[in-house]
Amino acid sequence: LYVPDQPPKRLVAQMARYSQLALTLPAATVVGWLIGEALDKRLHTTWLYLVGLILGIVAGFVELVRTVTSSEGK
């Protein structure tokens, strides 16, 4: 039963998918940075956190592109 005061389920699902991006990109960046920091401490280096940070950012953008392109195709 459709209630006019509530948005359609498809719109709600699309809003949820895009709001996921607001968390995915920063989370991937932080996780990459933390992994790099842990490797720095374990291997006694000072530059691996940058590698982790860059890889986290790249992973976040890849997920962003995947989500946007998959929703455009539907």
Side-chain angles (χ1 to χ4, degrees), residues 18-41:
Y18 285 121
S19 64
Q20 168 193 346
L21 295 177
L23 296 174
T24 302
L25 187 59
T29 303
V30 169
V31 168
W33 172 65
L34 290 174
I35 290 172
E37 277 288 324
L39 288 173
D40 272 340
K41 288 182 181 179

Side-chain angles (χ1 to χ4, degrees), residues 1-49:
L1 180 67
Y2 176 72
V3 179
D5 296 335
Q6 297 177 348
K9 288 183 180 181
R10 184 174 176 166
L11 177 63
V12 172
Q14 189 175 13
M15 288 172 43
R17 186 178 303 123
Y18 285 121
S19 64
Q20 168 193 346
L21 295 177
L23 296 174
T24 302
L25 187 59
T29 303
V30 169
V31 168
W33 172 65
L34 290 174
I35 290 172
E37 277 288 324
L39 288 173
D40 272 340
K41 288 182 181 179
R42 185 171 180 109
L43 301 174
H44 306 290
T45 59
T46 59
W47 55 272
L48 285 176
Y49 77 96

Side-chain angles (χ1 to χ4, degrees), residues 42-69:
R42 185 171 180 109
L43 301 174
H44 306 290
T45 59
T46 59
W47 55 272
L48 285 176
Y49 77 96
L50 288 174
V51 174
L53 187 65
I54 291 169
L55 288 176
I57 291 169
V58 168
F61 274 111
V62 166
E63 186 61 30
L64 174 96
V65 169
R66 282 184 182 170
T67 303
V68 170
T69 57

